[in-house]
Amino acid sequence: MTLFIFCALSFCCHTYAQPDVVSTGKTKYFVAIMRADYNDQDDLLETYRSYLDDGDIALSHPHEENLDNTMQLPGQHGVQYFSLSEIRLNVSSLRAQGVDIVSYDLEKENASYHELKDPVASVRAASELVHRNNMKFMVSPSMMLTADFGTQFAPFVDIYNIQAQSLQSRPDEYNDFVEQTVRDLRLANPEISISAQVSTARGSLEGMKKSIASVIDIVDGTSSWYTDDRQGLNRLNSFLKWFNDNYR
C-alpha cells in the first residue's frame, strides 16, 4: 500500500465546540486483514485464530479461497474492495455468503479516474449499494483522502479505518493526526465506529505499540497491515499479543 504524508488538514482549521472524543467502548476490536496474496495462508489464519474473538472483524480480499479462510475466523466477516466497480459487481451476492461488512479501500493507486474525480460521490454510491443489500459499510481511504474528505465521507459510513501508519515512527504526530481526525469524524457522524491502523512494514514494533497506545482511548479498535514474510508475520503476532494483553 502506498501511503501519503498529510500536509494541510483543511477540515481541521475551523473553531468549534469540541465534542467528547473518547470512545464509549472499553473493549477494543481488531480488524484482521486476510491478504489474498499472502504466501502462507494457513500460518496467517492460525495467527489470527490465536487472538480474535466474536467482537472482532475479519476482512477478506477478493478471492474465493481467501473468503473461505476469512469465514473460519470469529466475529463479523467482511470483504474489502479497491474500486467502486468491484463493489457494484459483487455486492448483491455477498450477504448470502455470510458477509456482514463491505469495505472500500479508496486509494489513487487502485481507483479509477472517475472515482477520484469525486471521491465523496464514490463513497456515497458504495454506501448506498452496501446498505441496500443489508450490510455495514466500511471505508479505509488513503491518508490524503481522509485529510481532504474524511468529514464528507463520514455521514455515509458505519466503520472508518484511519490509515495513519506512515506516521507510526513518530508517535506524537500519529497521535495528533488521529485525535483530530477522530474528533472531526465524530462531529460529522456521532454513530460512527473508528479504528486506527499501523503496519509491520513501517518502523519498529515499539512504534506500532506507542502509536496505538497514544490513541486507544479515543478509537474503537485497531488494525495492522503486514508484509508477506516471516518477519512481518512474527511482528503481527507480537502486536496482536500485546493488544490482547492490554485492551481486551
Side-chain angles (χ1 to χ4, degrees):
M1 278 190 181
T2 302
L3 300 162
F4 303 89
I5 297 178
F6 70 103
C7 298
L9 304 184
S10 59
F11 65 89
C12 299
C13 298
H14 305 289
T15 301
Y16 43 70
Q18 302 287 13
D20 184 2
V21 74
V22 177
S23 167
T24 57
K26 293 182 179 180
T27 300
K28 308 300 178 177
Y29 61 77
F30 189 81
V31 181
I33 305 167
M34 284 293 296
R35 287 178 55 180
D37 59 353
Y38 194 82
N39 285 327
D40 197 332
Q41 290 280 315
D42 290 338
D43 278 358
L44 182 59
L45 190 60
E46 286 309 309
T47 296
Y48 282 139
R49 273 179 173 155
S50 299
Y51 300 104
L52 267 60
D53 61 31
D54 289 342
D56 294 314
I57 297 169
L59 290 182
S60 167
H61 278 188
H63 185 286
E64 185 175 347
E65 181 182 353
N66 187 243
L67 180 57
D68 289 343
N69 286 333
T70 303
M71 298 302 290
Q72 296 179 47
L73 294 170
Q76 297 183 85
H77 303 100
V79 181
Q80 186 169 69
Y81 293 104
F82 299 94
S83 71
L84 180 57
S85 60
E86 289 179 297
I87 294 174
R88 283 197 178 107
L89 184 64
N90 294 283
V91 68
S92 63
S93 66
L94 294 175
R95 191 65 183 146
Q97 298 177 67
V99 172
D100 308 294
I101 299 166
V102 175
S103 176
Y104 187 12
D105 187 339
L106 181 59
E107 304 186 47
K108 76 173 187 177
E109 287 74 20
N110 302 304
S112 69
Y113 166 78
H114 296 290
E115 287 174 86
L116 294 170
K117 184 178 180 182
D118 191 346
V120 178
S122 299
V123 166
R124 181 174 184 172
S127 174
E128 290 172 351
L129 284 167
V130 172
H131 288 142
R132 192 181 306 143
N133 284 275
N134 301 311
M135 292 173 287
K136 294 179 183 177
F137 180 55
M138 178 178 183
V139 293
S140 185
S142 69
M143 192 169 170
M144 178 181 288
L145 288 171
T146 288
D148 290 342
F149 301 103
T151 55
Q152 296 178 67
F153 294 158
F156 308 112
V157 174
D158 301 301
I159 306 164
Y160 201 113
N161 183 52
I162 301 173
Q163 290 200 44
Q165 57 264 49
S166 62
L167 300 176
Q168 72 185 44
S169 295
R170 305 182 297 283
D172 288 346
E173 292 184 33
Y174 187 98
N175 172 272
D176 289 346
F177 178 75
V178 172
E179 182 172 341
Q180 187 61 65
T181 301
V182 168
R183 195 179 300 279
D184 292 339
L185 293 177
R186 294 202 195 284
L187 267 178
N189 179 358
E191 303 301 318
I192 201 167
S193 180
I194 302 173
S195 59
Q197 187 164 304
V198 288
S199 172
T200 69
R202 301 272 183 169
S204 66
L205 175 61
E206 285 308 305
M208 296 171 69
K209 292 178 181 179
K210 287 180 180 178
S211 293
I212 293 303
S214 76
V215 299
I216 198 66
D217 289 339
I218 62 171
V219 297
D220 304 293
T222 188
S223 180
S224 178
W225 188 247
Y226 50 90
T227 51
D228 185 6
D229 52 36
R230 179 54 54 179
Q231 181 181 10
L233 186 61
N234 289 343
R235 187 175 290 183
L236 178 65
N237 184 82
S238 296
F239 178 75
L240 275 163
K241 183 179 186 307
W242 168 82
F243 180 75
N244 268 31
D245 289 345
N246 287 276
Y247 303 115
R248 312 279 263 183

